[in-house]
Amino acid sequence: MKILFAASEAAPFVKSGGLGDVAQALPAELAKVKDVEVSVFIPYYKSIKDNPAIEVEFVTSFGVQVAWRRQHVGIFRAVSKSKKLKYYFIDNEHYFYRDGIYGHYDDGERFTYFSMAILEAMRQLDYYPDVIHCNDWQTALIPVLKKALYAGVYDNARTVFNIHNIEYQGKMPNEFLSDVIGVGEYWRGMLTYDGCINFMKGAIVAADKITTVSRTYAHEIRHAFFAHGLQDILKENEYKIEGIVNGINTDLYNPAKDTTIFANFTSTNISGKAKNKEEMQKMLGLPVNPDVPVVAMISRLVSHKGLDLVEYVMGEIMQRDLQFVVIGTGDAKYEDMFNFNAYVNPDKMSANITFNPALANKVYAGADMFLMPSKSEPCGLSQLIAMRYGTVPIVRETGGLWDTVPPLNVETLEGKGFTFKGYNAHDMLGAIDRCIEFYHDKAKWNKHVKNLIRYNSSWKASVQEYLRIYNEIM
Ligand code: GLC
């Protein structure tokens, strides 16, 4: 089976969030399966092109039409040792040789070009995949363009559209249809939603299958609270929606082997975890104290991640006997709030306003508890990473958080973490308090920490689900 995986980011080459992790781990896991070959297509961004450590070979170049524009496409490639996993980098310096990956005035045109270039590359490379797996709005035009511009060419290829973030849909003005996408009026209906061009809506209609990254989220997005306006079109197409939970790369995130943390530990011997806590406290300038619980938050600092709940009870949290470590960047008001609290309570709060994966690993390993009170969460990877490092999650019961963190029964130790349902700051605080109470029952706590490290969050099961879906649509 040949799978083309199209994404706007993929670690280790380029990553701004969870999509980058998934686009690294899922294709690699798929390619391990017998008779499965995967080609990942991403843009050849400046940061990749300028990185001498990334070795690529030039394959070919050709031109594509972006409506009336004739644009250059260069194809560069990197191939895995097994040869079953290939990375293709789409090169066009006008669109991608810039600082930053998103947020440019012409993102709509950049990713229209990207989608167009991928479809044309298939023909130029004489590569006819069985499945084209598209991710988020940046590649959402592929299922539409395949029908509109390549009818009869790629008819044997099936399309999957995978939703990681429904908030960004690729909404463009109506003129976009003829001026940038360059398809006839016939296709306007497929791409129009709420009076404008909407890439994601086009994919929802055109793709053979729609997936999202957890089972609960697949249900939630049929409702207005979660769907950012797309609920009606999702309801109409619900027969083709399925939720498959993300995993993490358990080799990369492995407390027994991770070289970025202070000491290694395993599910049978967690003494290294205490060492990580001690060194982390030192590094962050917090009082070194093994008995005070450390709550960590590693997140984009935006309200949708539940930051408004944290803000509402920040003062009350600071009255608890705990230490609070935050890592992340985002809205200035939240950055300021954490900085202010760190200034007022230097013994309790460590505010690290930065996006720093190496520091994050040290905190995943050193903290006792991990707070993730998201308003909505398609899947969430941080809670999986936290658990892998024996850090107890405190989460809101939504999306992938609900699917991966069943509530802990403190008597039987069934379940995984402390959860709350309503989007309410004091419900969250209640969950934090329950977790702190459990923390002081040391024997049980340590036993539970070991259980968490053992918990299997790898991609193994989900890869089988994706293969089942590919086979179904083929
Ligand atoms: C987005 C979602 C997150 C998910 C990730 C990967 O970042 O917000 O919940 O885990 O995509 O699918």
Side-chain angles (χ1 to χ4, degrees):
M1 186 191 303
K2 285 185 281 187
I3 300 156
L4 187 161
F5 195 93
S8 55
E9 54 180 272
F13 304 107
V14 56
K15 165 179 153 180
S16 77
L19 172 61
D21 285 312
V22 172
Q24 172 178 34
L26 176 55
E29 284 297 325
L30 284 165
K32 284 184 194 161
V33 178
K34 191 167 174 284
D35 297 329
V36 177
E37 284 171 36
V38 190
S39 293
V40 181
F41 281 72
I42 58 172
Y44 203 18
Y45 295 111
K46 183 169 189 279
S47 61
I48 307 178
K49 202 168 198 175
D50 288 351
N51 184 343
I54 299 175
E55 277 182 43
V56 299
E57 52 167 337
F58 173 77
V59 182
T60 184
S61 71
F62 49 88
V64 288
Q65 289 303 131
V66 180
W68 47 269
R69 304 160 195 79
R70 185 81 185 157
Q71 295 292 15
H72 165 84
V73 182
I75 302 282
F76 289 80
R77 178 171 60 195
V79 181
S80 74
K81 273 201 209 85
S82 72
K83 305 248 187 301
K84 287 174 75 206
L85 177 61
K86 300 191 174 89
Y87 291 92
Y88 286 96
F89 303 89
I90 302 278
D91 183 39
N92 177 299
E93 297 206 343
H94 166 61
Y95 289 126
F96 298 130
Y97 198 73
R98 310 177 184 187
D99 292 325
I101 57 179
Y102 312 125
H104 298 286
Y105 73 95
D106 57 348
D107 279 0
E109 184 182 321
R110 294 168 74 222
F111 290 105
T112 301
Y113 159 82
F114 179 55
S115 302
M116 206 80 86
I118 291 173
L119 282 165
E120 186 55 30
M122 289 163 44
R123 177 152 66 184
Q124 299 285 341
L125 297 167
D126 197 22
Y127 168 63
Y128 292 89
D130 301 299
V131 175
I132 307 176
H133 185 135
C134 309
N135 297 279
D136 276 354
W137 78 267
Q138 294 92 342
T139 52
L141 281 183
I142 291 176
V144 180
L145 294 173
K146 174 176 159 304
K147 286 188 196 289
L149 301 177
Y150 291 90
V153 186
Y154 302 136
D155 286 355
N156 289 329
R158 297 286 172 265
T159 51
V160 173
F161 181 62
N162 194 338
I163 300 175
H164 302 261
N165 189 339
I166 207 168
E167 206 173 330
Y168 302 100
Q169 299 169 3
K171 290 186 189 172
M172 306 296 153
N174 287 319
E175 299 74 43
F176 226 74
L177 191 80
S178 56
D179 189 41
V180 180
I181 306 176
V183 293
E185 278 303 312
Y186 177 82
W187 300 95
R188 188 176 293 281
M190 187 180 273
L191 281 162
T192 297
Y193 198 63
D194 272 347
C196 67
I197 297 292
N198 185 317
F199 290 12
M200 200 178 258
K201 185 263 180 169
I204 291 167
V205 176
D208 297 303
K209 188 85 193 179
I210 302 159
T211 59
T212 186
V213 287
S214 71
R215 207 195 278 228
T216 297
Y217 192 67
H219 289 282
E220 288 174 341
I221 52 173
R222 295 164 214 189
H223 302 278
F225 182 83
F226 296 96
H228 291 271
L230 287 177
Q231 60 276 7
D232 292 340
I233 197 72
L234 284 166
K235 258 218 188 93
E236 251 172 58
N237 289 277
E238 66 184 343
Y239 69 94
K240 56 180 172 180
I241 305 178
E242 227 175 293
I244 301 176
V245 73
N246 287 333
I248 53 171
N249 182 333
T250 45
D251 296 324
L252 212 62
Y253 294 110
N254 183 354
K257 298 216 177 97
D258 192 335
T259 52
T260 66
I261 61 178
F262 293 110
N264 293 117
F265 54 96
T266 64
S267 64
T268 47
N269 182 351
I270 55 170
S271 56
K273 184 154 174 76
K275 179 78 181 153
N276 276 290
K277 179 170 175 177
E278 183 187 328
E279 293 296 330
M280 176 191 73
Q281 286 171 324
K282 269 189 215 155
M283 175 182 73
L284 299 177
L286 293 165
V288 175
N289 179 350
D291 297 322
V292 64
V294 178
V295 184
M297 213 173 165
I298 302 175
S299 174
R300 271 187 303 124
L301 305 180
V302 293
S303 80
H304 129 108
K305 291 284 179 185
L307 267 294
D308 40 3
L309 300 189
V310 177
E311 181 185 32
Y312 196 77
V313 291
M314 191 78 252
E316 287 174 76
I317 292 175
M318 287 292 99
Q319 285 163 21
R320 305 300 194 264
D321 187 21
L322 52 69
Q323 296 176 350
F324 198 104
V325 177
V326 61
I327 305 178
T329 59
D331 290 351
K333 68 168 178 173
Y334 299 124
E335 296 183 352
D336 291 348
M337 169 187 77
F338 287 118
N339 278 330
F340 172 76
N341 275 280
Y343 174 72
V344 184
N345 304 293
D347 287 352
K348 285 194 163 173
M349 169 70 78
S350 166
N352 307 278
I353 307 304
T354 159
F355 175 80
N356 181 340
L359 176 67
N361 280 9
K362 293 187 172 67
V363 173
Y364 281 122
D368 299 297
M369 305 166 188
F370 190 81
L371 179 61
M372 196 157 171
S374 309
K375 189 179 277 176
S376 70
E377 196 60 73
C379 177
L381 302 172
S382 318
Q383 82 281 10
L384 299 177
I385 302 170
M387 291 192 278
R388 178 89 177 126
Y389 287 87
T391 301
V392 180
I394 304 169
V395 305
R396 196 171 93 78
E397 295 171 9
T398 186
L401 296 175
W402 181 229
D403 292 355
T404 59
V405 186
L408 176 71
N409 178 326
V410 295
E411 297 305 324
T412 62
L413 297 188
E414 278 167 301
K416 302 209 167 69
F418 292 82
T419 70
F420 62 101
K421 198 169 200 73
Y423 194 67
N424 176 298
H426 281 96
D427 288 357
M428 176 189 75
L429 191 61
I432 296 175
D433 284 339
R434 282 185 282 127
C435 191
I436 293 176
E437 194 184 325
F438 179 60
Y439 173 81
H440 292 293
D441 187 343
K442 267 283 137 60
K444 272 196 174 160
W445 177 271
N446 287 336
K447 196 157 174 224
H448 180 56
V449 166
K450 292 177 179 175
N451 288 345
L452 285 182
I453 299 172
R454 258 193 298 272
Y455 164 53
N456 182 1
S457 49
S458 82
W459 273 99
K460 288 252 152 35
S462 296
V463 159
Q464 292 306 321
E465 295 283 296
Y466 277 110
L467 289 173
R468 173 182 53 75
I469 282 182
Y470 298 155
N471 276 311
E472 269 171 30
I473 55 178
M474 277 160 65

